[in-house]
């Protein structure tokens, strides 16, 4: 019998909540892992890059009753690694800051399992920063202490030397339940800190729904109770906390804070749109209603064509699945319907000659007005509008349409459907996504309907719905801008 070589255990920090604060190394390891053991407090979507066949295990330690004991988690980690699996142990924030990563590393060492540690952005620093509080500041705070204790007030507090903490010459950052706030404030004042000492509490720091409050040691327990601050929260104590009032930057950067947006795009394309929405503070509901299915096709020799016109990034990517040499497009005018398609071409080394000002067929037809065309090739979706081929034929050109993919409906599970219909906005980036979503959800009632452009809006109208918002620039960025404007309008 041969011994299995153990896999590697990676103790990985997932950061404080904003997916953008995950490290490149964390994302890379998640994408490769055989097994991911993950905590409750990790960013939304942290695991979206995992292999489809990876085993994803929730060992979340938060949420009444459903606690996985640390020993079980450690045992799982050891067991999977000894079975030869590469295991990512994904933890909120940093694995070695109140994350019990040290103990898990010791267990690996004891079992001869090779392990690596990937630090993460810890909540104490990140939540503070997102609330406009620098934990150190020249002339104000030259030291910072991270402090934790038992979350359970029934348990005796043995770890914290309150007098020493009160005397600490710098910022104190508490990773503790809000229930502990009265005692924290009390003990520090008893130890000699001024009741006027500034305090900030940050709830769900860096998440889309982050909230923060500012008070003093004398007021903060009451302030937090009034604001109904809940875990997870950190408390920052010291003169730097007062900078919150001056340096709060998040609201300006997150015009979509507290707004939920459903994304109905194909899963493969949703992530960029979802990421820009999240970066603006939106809560994103992924409800893909459409999937791209490649078609078997034969690309004809390209020499006879003087124009090749691409009408979607999908067409570009499928085209280059089939054509392996960019030089095949050396002699032709290459047109792209919009910036996304042009970007996809650039990724294959082709700079589009023609990109119309508006990303719709009509605009492309206009942009091609001065170009002499006798024979055109249009790689595209099987089902598409015939505006472009018809217009080129009208000018006397021979047009070959080359269907390279089709869009098919993606089934929508009940939870995704309900979440999407319960969102404040639902976004549509194509006419087919409108039709498929409507067919799958049975209705379009509920969210404000955001359309990327005229063709998509027409599909909404066919179903009896006037779009609430139509992008002026018919790209995903344009759609996001229109949505932001609508939210701002509603708030004004
Ligand atoms: N390893 C983690 C900390 C785990 S202890 C890190 O480095 O961040 C869990 C505590 O961290 C919570 O009780 C809370 O006090 C704090 N915490 C974690 N994420 C937080 C967030 N997004 N906002 C505020 N506090 C957070």
């Amino acid at each position: 019998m041969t011994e299995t070589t153990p896999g590697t255990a990676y103790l990985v920090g997932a950061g404080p909540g904003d997916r953008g604060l995950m490290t490149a190394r964390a994302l890379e390891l998640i994408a490769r892992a055989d097994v991911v053991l993950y905590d409750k407090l990790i960013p939304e979507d942290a695991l979206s890059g995992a292999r489809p066949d990876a085993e994803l295990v929730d060992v979340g330690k938060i949420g009444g009753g459903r606690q996985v004991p640390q020993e079980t988690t450690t045992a799982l980690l050891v067991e999977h690694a000894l079975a030869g699996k590469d295991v990512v142990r994904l933890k909120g924030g940093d694995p070695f800051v109140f994350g019990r990563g040290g103990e898990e590393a010791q267990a690996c060492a004891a079992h001869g399992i090779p392990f690596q540690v990937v630090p993460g952005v810890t909540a104490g620093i990140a939540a503070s920063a997102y609330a406009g509080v620098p934990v150190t500041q020249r002339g104000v705070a030259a030291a910072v202490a991270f402090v934790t204790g038992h979350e359970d007030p029934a348990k005796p507090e043995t770890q914290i030397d309150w007098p020493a903490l009160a005397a600490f010459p710098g910022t104190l950052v508490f990773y503790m339940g809000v229930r502990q706030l009265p005692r924290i404030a009390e003990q520090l004042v008893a130890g000699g800190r001024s009741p006027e000492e500034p305090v900030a509490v940050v709830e769900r720091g860096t998440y889309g729904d982050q909230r923060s409050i500012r008070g003093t040691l004398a007021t903060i327990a009451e302030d937090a109770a009034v604001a109904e601050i809940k875990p997870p929260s950190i408390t920052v104590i010291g003169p730097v906390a007062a900078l919150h009032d001056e340096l709060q930057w998040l609201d300006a950067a997150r015009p979509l804070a507290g707004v939920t947006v459903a994304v109905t795009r194909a899963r493969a394309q949703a992530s960029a749109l979802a990421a820009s929405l999240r970066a603006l503070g939106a809560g994103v509901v992924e409800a893909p209603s459409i999937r791209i299915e490649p078609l078997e096709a034969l690309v004809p020799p390209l020499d006879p064509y003087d124009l090749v016109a691409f009408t979607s990034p999908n067409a570009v990517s499928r085209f280059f699945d089939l054509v392996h040499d960019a030089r095949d497009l050396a002699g032709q005018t290459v047109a792209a319907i919009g910036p996304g398609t042009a970007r996809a071409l650039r990724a294959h080394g082709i700079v589009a000659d023609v990109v119309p000002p508006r990303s719709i067929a009509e605009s492309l037809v206009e942009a091609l007005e001065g170009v002499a065309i006798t024979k055109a090739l249009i790689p595209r979706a099987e089902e598409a509008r015939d505006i472009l081929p018809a217009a080129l034929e009208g000018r006397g050109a021979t047009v070959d349409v080359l269907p390279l993919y089709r869009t098919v409906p993606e089934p929508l599970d009940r939870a995704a459907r309900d979440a999407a219909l319960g969102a404040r906005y639902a976004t549509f980036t194509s006419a087919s996504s409108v039709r498929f979503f409507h067919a799958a959800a049975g209705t379009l009632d509920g969210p404000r309907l955001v359309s990327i452009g005229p063709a998509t809006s027409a599909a909404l109208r066919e179903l009896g719905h006037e779009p609430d918002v139509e992008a002026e620039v018919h790209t995903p960025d344009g759609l996001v801008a229109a949505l932001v404007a609508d939210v701002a309008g509603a708030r004004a």
Side-chain angles (χ1 to χ4, degrees):
M1 213 180 90
T2 55
E3 288 258 318
T4 313
T5 315
T8 301
Y10 299 92
L11 307 174
V12 180
D18 179 343
R19 191 177 194 276
L21 295 179
M22 293 180 73
T23 64
R25 179 74 173 144
L27 294 173
E28 176 192 318
L29 289 171
I30 289 166
R32 283 188 358 212
D34 298 312
V35 179
V36 182
L37 306 176
Y38 63 94
D39 281 349
K40 253 285 153 315
L41 268 186
I42 58 170
E44 219 181 302
D45 230 20
L47 301 177
S48 61
R51 282 177 11 216
D53 62 327
E55 191 180 334
L56 309 179
V57 186
D58 180 354
V59 294
K61 290 194 186 55
I62 290 189
R66 267 193 62 247
Q67 301 203 343
V68 176
Q70 180 64 41
E71 304 73 61
T72 312
T73 302
T74 307
L76 271 176
L77 175 65
V78 166
E79 187 184 304
H80 281 297
L82 287 180
K85 305 275 172 61
D86 284 337
V87 188
V88 164
R89 173 71 184 98
L90 190 64
K91 296 161 164 297
D94 181 277
F96 278 4
V97 179
F98 310 134
R100 307 194 69 169
E103 293 157 64
E104 291 172 15
Q106 286 174 314
C108 291
H111 287 89
I113 296 164
F115 65 91
Q116 295 184 18
V117 182
V118 181
V121 180
T122 190
I125 293 177
S128 303
Y130 271 47
V133 176
V135 290
T136 72
Q137 167 98 336
R138 197 177 157 83
V140 179
V144 51
F146 297 112
V147 189
T148 188
H150 287 299
E151 289 286 333
D152 184 352
K155 288 191 185 159
E157 191 54 75
T158 50
Q159 295 170 2
I160 297 178
D161 179 347
W162 289 104
L165 270 188
F168 179 74
T171 308
L172 300 174
V173 180
F174 284 88
Y175 291 61
M176 260 193 238
V178 274
R179 279 176 309 185
Q180 308 278 11
L181 264 178
R183 203 159 53 99
I184 294 172
E186 219 170 85
Q187 296 283 348
L188 291 176
V189 173
R193 291 245 171 173
S194 160
E196 299 311 313
E197 178 118 332
V199 183
V201 179
V202 190
E203 175 194 277
R204 288 182 57 80
T206 81
Y207 282 96
D209 53 356
Q210 166 177 325
R211 295 196 300 154
S212 55
I213 57 166
R214 238 280 279 151
T216 63
L217 281 179
T219 67
I220 199 70
E222 173 76 19
D223 298 339
V226 169
E228 295 184 33
I229 296 289
K230 294 186 196 60
S233 302
I234 55 121
T235 302
V236 197
I237 300 174
V240 290
L243 290 165
H244 170 274
D245 310 349
E246 183 189 339
L247 300 183
Q248 232 188 108
W249 54 270
L250 195 64
D251 289 351
R254 286 188 161 172
L256 298 182
V259 177
T260 49
V261 182
V263 172
T264 62
R265 272 201 127 181
R267 205 179 291 283
Q269 295 171 314
S271 58
L273 178 56
S276 9
L277 290 166
R278 284 197 184 105
L280 297 171
V284 173
V285 175
E286 297 204 16
S289 62
I290 185 168
R291 188 162 43 84
I292 309 299
E293 198 174 81
L295 293 174
E296 284 315 315
L298 212 59
V299 176
L302 297 173
D303 286 340
Y305 296 97
D306 38 27
L307 171 74
V308 182
F310 292 91
T311 56
S312 72
N314 289 319
V316 174
S317 84
R318 186 71 189 127
F319 183 84
F320 283 99
D321 284 345
L322 304 165
V323 170
H324 299 293
D325 192 339
R327 289 172 298 186
D328 288 0
L329 283 174
Q332 300 80 0
T333 296
V334 174
I337 194 152
T341 305
R343 217 173 304 126
L345 281 165
R346 222 173 305 128
H348 291 280
I350 305 287
V351 178
D353 301 294
V354 180
V355 186
R358 305 179 63 215
S359 312
I360 50 173
E362 288 81 351
S363 186
L364 181 55
V365 167
E366 271 173 44
L368 287 168
E369 207 115 311
V371 184
I373 302 160
T374 51
K375 197 167 161 67
L377 183 69
I378 306 181
R380 61 165 218 191
E382 188 177 62
E383 300 274 326
R385 299 162 77 212
D386 277 320
I387 309 250
L388 179 62
L392 296 176
E393 273 164 3
R395 285 180 205 164
T398 312
V399 178
D400 292 330
V401 166
L402 178 65
L404 290 183
Y405 64 95
R406 69 162 72 97
T407 53
V408 295
E410 174 89 336
L412 199 60
D413 65 42
R414 181 108 215 147
R417 171 198 181 269
D418 293 350
L421 292 174
R424 182 138 144 229
Y425 291 90
T427 58
F428 297 95
T429 53
S430 69
S432 359
S433 69
V434 169
R435 290 185 201 109
F436 293 156
F437 181 83
H438 178 262
T443 178
L444 288 170
D445 288 333
R448 282 175 76 72
L449 305 173
V450 188
S451 149
I452 199 167
T456 303
S457 297
L460 284 167
R461 286 189 192 103
E462 272 166 36
L463 293 164
H465 287 266
E466 187 58 27
D468 296 290
V469 181
E470 184 184 282
E472 261 168 53
V473 179
H474 314 309
T475 61
D477 286 347
L479 179 146
V480 171
L483 204 157
V484 168
D486 192 68
V487 169
R491 281 188 181 149

